[in-house]
Amino acid sequence: MSTVVPDQPVLTAQGVQVTFSSANSQLEAVAEATLTVMPNEFVGLIGPSGCGKSTLLRVLGGLMPPSAGEVLFEGQPLRGPQRKIGFVFQKANLMPWRNALRNVTLPLELAGVPLAEARERGRALLELVGLADFCDAQPRDLSGGMQQRVALARALVYDPAVLLLDEPFGALDALTREKMNAELLRIWQARRKTVIIVTHDIQEAVILCDRVIPMTSRPGRLKEEIIVDLPRPRSLDLLTSPRFSALAAELRRSLG
């Protein structure tokens, strides 16, 4: 169970820097990042390709250490990956020999959860993401959007406190991506996880997030955040609202 305190930050980055070093060169990916994320927030990191936003997300998830600075999770230094932080990548990375249900239950099986309990939890998550009728489907028989839903269910199966999304819909066509945005809004409304999403899509950032933090070109630096004051619960109908257009224009100006 989560130990998140409602009025305390769940995730904090303090002066995080990332430099990739080799024998002949050094590449500064993230110059400095200081960031606080509160419980149940939906935060977006947006910027041009190669600006270090995915690198920063991996540091926030404990998948790689920073070169300098520190990440705190629930007030404690984050030293590596943990179950309370779920991760969804741009590619679904499903095991092709396991059906949808068995892909979702894999983390539970590896943790020694009894098979009956794992399957019950897996079916509940597939129902949440709208795939209750596809438990037995193989990944090859699922569309790209459906595969990403399975990956999302797999990330949620531990009931993590934080969900990190690294351009999860970046490989999808525009119509499917828009549909997945609507699905993510619905799922977030149902579960109210703390979410950080990396994206390069202005529309996606504004419709999903409570606040959006633009990043500069490499080496990435966080710019002044933009508060998204669109009402919740949200639907795609907001895409045609004057306030949505104004926020998108403000974010576009910030990105330059």
Side-chain angles (χ1 to χ4, degrees):
M1 296 295 291
S2 173
T3 57
V4 170
V5 180
D7 60 347
Q8 297 295 321
V10 63
L11 198 62
T12 304
Q14 300 176 336
V16 166
Q17 300 176 26
V18 180
T19 300
F20 297 107
S21 300
S22 66
N24 301 316
S25 66
Q26 285 193 331
L27 175 66
E28 189 177 17
V30 179
E32 183 177 354
T34 296
L35 171 68
T36 298
V37 182
M38 301 300 290
N40 308 126
E41 272 198 300
F42 204 128
V43 178
L45 296 174
I46 189 170
S49 296
C51 72
K53 53 188 183 295
S54 292
T55 298
L56 177 57
L57 196 72
R58 282 164 170 75
V59 173
L60 294 175
L63 300 185
M64 61 181 295
S67 304
E70 187 174 43
V71 175
L72 303 179
F73 176 66
E74 296 182 350
Q76 300 298 318
L78 182 65
R79 303 303 186 198
Q82 60 169 282
R83 294 176 185 174
K84 289 184 178 181
I85 302 178
F87 218 111
V88 179
F89 298 92
Q90 184 171 347
K91 293 184 178 180
N93 295 321
L94 303 180
M95 292 189 173
W97 58 90
R98 296 176 70 100
N99 63 25
L101 178 61
R102 295 188 65 212
N103 266 285
V104 174
T105 60
L106 179 60
L108 299 179
E109 293 175 35
L110 294 175
V113 175
L115 187 58
E117 179 185 346
R119 288 179 175 175
E120 180 180 359
R121 290 166 63 176
R123 288 191 182 96
L125 265 299
L126 285 173
E127 181 175 2
L128 177 68
V129 300
L131 293 178
D133 296 332
F134 293 87
C135 289
D136 297 325
Q138 299 297 123
R140 65 176 179 271
D141 299 322
L142 300 174
S143 68
M146 295 168 77
Q147 290 182 25
Q148 283 300 91
R149 292 191 204 190
V150 175
L152 181 58
R154 183 178 57 193
L156 290 170
V157 77
Y158 272 127
D159 194 25
V162 176
L163 186 62
L164 305 181
L165 308 174
D166 188 4
E167 298 195 47
F169 313 135
L172 304 178
D173 64 84
L175 291 177
T176 303
R177 183 175 190 147
E178 193 170 274
K179 183 177 181 180
M180 290 302 299
N181 287 168
E183 285 295 296
L184 186 54
L185 285 172
R186 177 184 62 80
I187 293 165
W188 181 88
Q189 191 66 35
R191 290 296 179 100
R192 290 300 183 104
K193 297 295 179 185
T194 304
V195 179
I196 304 176
I197 187 170
V198 160
T199 181
H200 58 264
D201 187 280
I202 291 174
Q203 173 178 297
E204 183 170 77
V206 174
I207 197 63
L208 292 176
C209 298
D210 298 310
R211 54 191 175 106
V212 184
I213 305 173
M215 291 184 68
T216 66
S217 298
R218 190 179 68 235
R221 291 179 172 84
L222 301 184
K223 303 176 75 173
E224 184 176 354
E225 68 182 30
I226 293 173
I227 303 299
V228 180
D229 54 3
L230 297 173
R232 292 193 185 271
R234 295 178 188 167
S235 72
L236 297 186
D237 293 339
L238 287 170
L239 295 176
T240 59
S241 69
R243 184 55 184 159
F244 177 90
S245 298
L247 287 165
E250 182 181 355
L251 181 53
R252 189 172 288 107
R253 285 193 296 271
S254 179
L255 290 168

